[in-house]
Amino acid sequence: MIAFVTSNMAPLMFTALIVVLLLGYPVAFSLAAVGIAFGLLGIQLGLLQQSLFQALPERIWGVMSNDTLLAVPFFTFMGLILERSGMAEDLLDTIGQLFGPMRGGLAFAVIFVGALLAATTGVVAASVISMGLISLPIMLRYGYDRRFATGVIAASGTLAQIIPPSLVLIIMADQLGRSVGDMYAGAFIPGLALAGLYAVYAVGVTMLRPQWAPALPLEARTFREPNGGSGTPSLIVLFVIAVAAAVGFAKYRYPPDAPIDEVLVVATSVGVAVAFSAAVLNHLLKLGMLSRIAERVTFVLIPPLALIFLVLGTIFLGVATPTEGGAMGATGALAMAIGRRRLSFGLLRQAMDATAKLTAFVVFILVGARVFSLTFYGVDGHLWVEHLLTNLPGGQLGFLIAVNLLIFFLAFFLDFFELAFIVVPLIGPVADKLGIDLIWFGVLLGVNMQTSFMHPPFGFALFYLRSVAPTKDYTDKATGRPIAKVTTGQIYWGAVPFVLIQVLMVALIIAFPGIVTGGLAKKATIDTNKIQIEVPAEESTTTPGTGEKTDSEQEDAQKAFDRASGKPEPGK
Amino acid sequence: MKILLTLSRLIDALNEVVGRLTYWLVLVAVLVSAGNATIRYTFNMSSNAWLEIQWYLFSAVFLFCAGYTLLHNQHIRIDVVTGRLSRRAQAWIDILGTLLFLMPMALTILWLSWPVFVDAYQRHEVSTNAGGLIIWPARLMVPIGFLLLVLQGISELIKRIAFLRGMIPDPTEKHEEPSAEELLAAEIRRQRGESA
């Protein structure tokens, strides 16, 4: 018996973890308790040193001084303030009006706004609730297919998980020991491609099943010109001028070998500034050069674009670290909420309260995982996992397929924080050993984990949509017609095609790795993690996946960070 | 048991106060961090002390709010299996979990982290970064945070036992403030003037 336990500590420990987690006691404490119990057992059996637990305070210290995780409260706080600022409502109303006259237009508007909100800061629940309360009633009013309407809303809301800046990518970067900036750069194209695939699906629906996604009738269009025109040509002209300004600026102002992301950020800002000044001049001087819709669209797009610049722009320009980018975004969101007179004392308190609780439970899961891994690595659990995974048939591809299937099915039961803190540190080092690029791997898993929000019956996006979709038949106020309730079955079935699209995206990333790595062009980003990698001593001492840093490494990173930011080194 | 319930109420009140004071540090951390980036870019200077304050604040938030989060039952659980059990069965799970999981881990870390603080305090340990902060206040946060967590564990234990004995209503069903999601939905509904 003792011999069996001694030789099978790792599998036994892992099995015990699964059983204990399923008891439904908070994950953070269960993880730590399994670690401590097996640690004591290991010490008794002579497998582990007496001093094993002396390392615990340093492990917690490592979590505390983790600069990357600091971004978690920042982005959470930003999202909570932003979702109450009314920005999402304005966007959905205006873009709905813009695209509405097209067949399937409301669906395109939902996808577009979903992607835009995702790029300001990702909160799935908030996007789904806003769309469910604003766009869904209009879609139902004008006869959209219920499954298609609910599916497109839930799926567009989950874009927040993969389009930077998102908590998923931050935590993935932390767990895989890579820089957040690179993770963002790598996730950008896959995130947008996923939104593109949703749109392609919507186009397919409008062609094959036009009755599922009708155009808005004339009486539903509120932004009309005095002469009855839609005003869209004016918007297209403005858009073309803005793009021309951006491209022209990039061509003449920058040499061809300038860092691509810097050019992109600056040129886009120039284009937006041109469009914005045109709209402001037109409005103030009553020039009448722009149609109402063109002016309105420009005005509602400015706040999200400004926030995207504040967060992602400053990161890609190298002005701020990803963590500071989160703080800049949070400050911007506060300023915007104050400007729109939406910030009350109650809202501020409530946002800080929710942020503090989320931070506590997320970081405690990590603390628990660190306690667990202290013992698990001590009994060579990582070698056991590596042995299991590298012996799969098919080498790299076999590993990728197995891991993705595993995550896909675990996602029915676990949410993303648990997957990221328990599963990712186990498979990350194996992936690294198989020669897989960890940025690419992280983005791949991020796309895969999106499905956990869309799985019936536990998917969070579906849950939040259910909470705001009509549960009773009602009479529509605008048309006076009766509208049937949305059934839970419709929401579940509506999610299925979009889960399939997400799975397709996973397959595409595996088949064409360039989707991710193409975004990783050379650039000058200030990022403590990345700078650390440039410190030669780092490579031999840091194991990817554990994210462990010793004090001296942190010091190195700090010095490098100071150098990069133009600060003189102390003592020189 | 009456005395224990009074103790439980005192602990709840303590963690409630600590939580409500600590969450303000979220705002402070946001402003400090945004300020750091702005000042570094505009004046080309940065201070290690101000960079370190960021994670002191972060650590204070998650450590001091751990008990507060437990009080509000917000630590994530995997309840796909046991979520359907009766209230009494769930109370039993919480009792066993508190005794077998929470208490051993929190007491172990509390026990081990105290001497680390004492050591840092006695040696006047200072951050290795130039111009960095003194270390002991941050070292002290760990035992304080885990002490608050242990206390809250005791309180939850008392409440579950009292519930099983029929002395108090289900403690997990206590009145919670509406969640961020509920508030958002309520606000949009109010503005749309719809009751649907």
Side-chain angles (χ1 to χ4, degrees):
Chain A
M1 177 66 188
I2 287 179
F4 173 78
V5 172
T6 310
S7 53
N8 288 293
M9 276 292 272
L12 283 174
M13 195 174 168
F14 198 73
T15 316
L17 177 69
I18 293 170
V19 173
V20 164
L21 286 181
L22 287 178
L23 285 178
Y25 195 68
V27 172
F29 312 135
S30 308
L31 267 167
V34 172
I36 290 180
F38 274 81
L40 290 174
L41 182 65
I43 293 172
Q44 286 299 315
L45 294 173
L47 289 171
L48 298 166
Q49 288 181 349
Q50 293 280 345
S51 59
L52 176 76
F53 292 130
Q54 297 299 327
L56 276 181
E58 274 317 306
R59 293 221 142 192
I60 291 168
W61 189 252
V63 174
M64 291 167 70
S65 53
N66 184 321
D67 222 13
T68 310
L69 288 178
L70 194 53
V72 171
F74 291 170
F75 281 113
T76 307
F77 182 72
M78 176 183 177
L80 286 167
I81 295 289
L82 199 58
E83 71 187 32
R84 297 282 295 280
S85 70
M87 187 182 84
E89 288 98 307
D90 285 356
L91 278 170
L92 285 167
D93 282 335
T94 309
I95 306 298
Q97 281 292 324
L98 176 65
F99 290 159
M102 277 197 292
R103 220 191 267 158
L106 285 175
F108 295 128
V110 162
I111 296 169
F112 179 76
V113 175
L116 204 58
L117 291 177
T120 54
T121 180
V123 182
V124 174
S127 296
V128 171
I129 287 173
S130 303
M131 292 169 176
L133 284 172
I134 294 166
S135 304
L136 185 62
I138 306 176
M139 291 166 124
L140 296 178
R141 178 183 303 157
Y142 297 110
Y144 266 63
D145 178 78
R146 278 128 193 287
R147 293 180 188 176
F148 176 61
T150 53
V152 84
I153 287 175
S156 302
T158 58
L159 284 173
Q161 285 298 307
I162 193 68
I163 295 181
S166 82
L167 292 187
V168 177
L169 295 170
I170 294 169
I171 289 177
M172 204 68 87
D174 177 61
Q175 290 296 302
L176 292 169
R178 289 295 180 266
S179 96
V180 177
D182 280 352
M183 208 54 108
Y184 280 177
F188 225 97
I189 297 169
L192 294 181
L194 195 56
L197 285 181
Y198 294 161
V200 168
Y201 174 72
V203 169
V205 164
T206 58
M207 294 201 309
L208 299 174
R209 293 271 186 281
Q211 71 278 16
W212 280 13
L216 288 195
L218 220 50
E219 72 266 18
R221 302 172 195 173
T222 50
F223 289 110
R224 301 201 67 76
E225 293 301 293
N227 64 14
S230 68
T232 320
S234 158
L235 178 64
I236 294 172
V237 170
L238 182 64
F239 181 73
V240 170
I241 292 174
V243 170
V247 172
F249 185 82
K251 271 247 151 53
Y252 292 107
R253 191 73 175 63
Y254 280 100
D257 57 341
I260 182 86
D261 44 2
E262 191 184 329
V263 177
L264 209 63
V265 170
V266 176
T268 312
S269 310
V270 169
V272 171
V274 166
F276 182 60
S277 343
V280 169
L281 283 177
N282 185 62
H283 189 79
L284 290 180
L285 306 177
K286 302 207 167 31
L287 293 175
M289 300 278 284
L290 291 170
S291 64
R292 287 179 59 198
I293 187 100
E295 202 178 283
R296 181 84 190 127
V297 166
T298 312
F299 283 137
V300 294
L301 281 180
I302 292 300
L305 291 175
L307 284 173
I308 292 170
F309 173 78
L310 213 50
V311 178
L312 294 176
T314 51
I315 296 172
F316 288 138
L317 286 181
V319 175
T321 64
T323 301
E324 289 167 342
M328 302 277 270
T331 315
L334 275 175
M336 200 176 89
I338 293 171
R340 290 167 166 246
R341 301 178 188 283
R342 290 293 195 100
L343 189 73
S344 63
F345 185 70
L347 168 60
L348 180 64
R349 249 185 31 132
Q350 192 255 332
M352 293 186 301
D353 185 24
T355 305
K357 285 175 184 158
L358 181 129
T359 308
F361 86 64
V362 169
V363 179
F364 261 78
I365 298 178
L366 179 61
V367 168
R370 282 296 181 80
V371 178
F372 177 83
S373 69
L374 181 67
T375 306
F376 195 65
Y377 280 63
V379 298
D380 289 337
H382 55 302
L383 297 179
W384 171 67
V385 172
E386 192 185 307
H387 181 75
L388 277 183
L389 291 176
T390 46
N391 279 7
L392 291 166
Q396 250 193 32
L397 190 63
F399 167 79
L400 288 172
I401 291 172
V403 161
N404 276 296
L405 283 176
L406 178 78
I407 298 267
F408 183 81
F409 285 108
L410 281 178
F412 278 96
F413 309 104
L414 303 185
D415 78 8
F416 126 80
F417 290 119
E418 291 139 15
L419 287 171
F421 288 131
I422 303 171
V423 180
V424 171
L426 292 176
I427 56 183
V430 185
D432 193 42
K433 210 157 229 176
L434 287 170
I436 294 168
D437 179 56
L438 288 186
I439 299 282
W440 177 81
F441 189 61
V443 173
L444 179 72
L445 294 186
V447 176
N448 191 337
M449 284 180 191
Q450 267 199 308
T451 59
S452 74
F453 285 83
M454 295 283 287
H455 282 316
F458 302 116
F460 267 112
L462 307 184
F463 170 79
Y464 285 118
L465 186 56
R466 174 69 280 173
S467 76
V468 295
T471 49
K472 296 194 285 277
D473 297 353
Y474 65 102
T475 308
D476 182 63
K477 287 210 173 102
T479 58
R481 278 197 302 248
I483 309 262
K485 64 183 177 184
V486 174
T487 67
T488 306
Q490 286 165 343
I491 294 178
Y492 287 174
W493 280 109
V496 172
F498 291 93
V499 172
L500 293 178
I501 294 175
Q502 290 170 345
V503 172
L504 172 71
M505 191 69 213
V506 170
L508 283 175
I509 294 177
I510 293 178
F512 306 103
I515 301 174
V516 176
T517 49
L520 299 177
K522 191 176 152 29
K523 57 191 169 57
T525 312
I526 299 189
D527 186 324
T528 40
N529 283 337
K530 190 176 149 198
I531 291 162
Q532 261 179 292
I533 291 166
E534 287 161 10
V535 178
E538 176 79 3
E539 270 180 47
S540 54
T541 47
T542 300
T543 337
T546 60
E548 289 287 350
K549 287 173 221 158
T550 65
D551 277 352
S552 71
E553 281 161 7
Q554 277 190 343
E555 197 185 332
D556 285 342
Q558 190 60 53
K559 278 190 203 135
F561 179 71
D562 292 341
R563 273 199 298 279
S565 48
K567 187 171 175 289
E569 249 183 272
K572 286 200 175 167
Chain B
M1 199 67 201
K2 266 231 160 78
I3 301 169
L4 289 177
L5 275 172
T6 311
L7 174 68
S8 157
R9 269 193 295 274
L10 283 175
I11 295 173
D12 287 3
L14 170 70
N15 264 319
E16 188 69 36
V17 170
V18 171
R20 283 173 183 238
L21 290 176
T22 308
Y23 65 51
W24 282 93
L25 300 183
V26 172
L27 182 64
V28 179
V30 163
L31 297 177
V32 166
S33 183
N36 278 344
T38 316
I39 289 170
R40 188 177 60 235
Y41 185 67
T42 42
F43 302 111
N44 199 16
M45 58 191 221
S46 87
S47 142
N48 280 328
W50 281 96
L51 285 174
E52 287 180 4
I53 280 181
Q54 290 181 42
W55 67 259
Y56 274 42
L57 292 167
F58 166 70
S59 305
V61 168
F62 85 80
L63 286 167
F64 295 167
C65 285
Y68 177 67
T69 308
L70 183 63
L71 166 66
H72 290 272
N73 196 16
Q74 300 256 324
H75 281 285
I76 287 198
R77 304 161 181 262
I78 299 176
D79 52 4
V80 282
V81 180
T82 52
R84 290 150 197 246
L85 297 178
S86 69
R87 294 282 180 193
R88 293 186 67 85
Q90 293 189 14
W92 271 110
I93 289 175
D94 280 350
I95 290 173
L96 292 177
T98 309
L99 285 175
L100 297 176
F101 302 159
L102 173 65
M103 287 301 178
M105 81 64 109
L107 287 171
T108 308
I109 294 174
L110 180 57
W111 185 256
L112 291 169
S113 60
W114 180 256
V116 179
F117 152 68
V118 172
D119 183 55
Y121 184 75
Q122 284 170 347
R123 290 196 294 119
H124 301 290
E125 193 185 342
V126 177
S127 157
T128 43
N129 298 322
L133 299 174
I134 40 167
I135 297 259
W136 67 260
R139 294 278 189 196
L140 181 59
M141 287 182 203
V142 183
I144 292 179
F146 278 84
L147 180 66
L148 288 168
L149 188 59
V150 167
L151 288 175
Q152 194 56 45
I154 293 171
S155 169
E156 296 301 315
L157 204 56
I158 294 170
K159 285 188 278 185
R160 296 301 184 283
I161 293 170
F163 166 63
L164 285 177
R165 290 175 146 207
M167 297 172 70
I168 55 168
D170 184 359
T172 55
E173 247 177 31
K174 65 178 165 256
H175 178 70
E176 285 286 329
E177 286 182 27
S179 68
E181 291 78 23
E182 287 161 352
L183 287 171
L184 172 65
E187 177 156 324
I188 297 178
R189 281 190 173 123
R190 195 175 57 240
Q191 277 170 3
R192 303 272 137 174
E194 279 169 8
S195 53

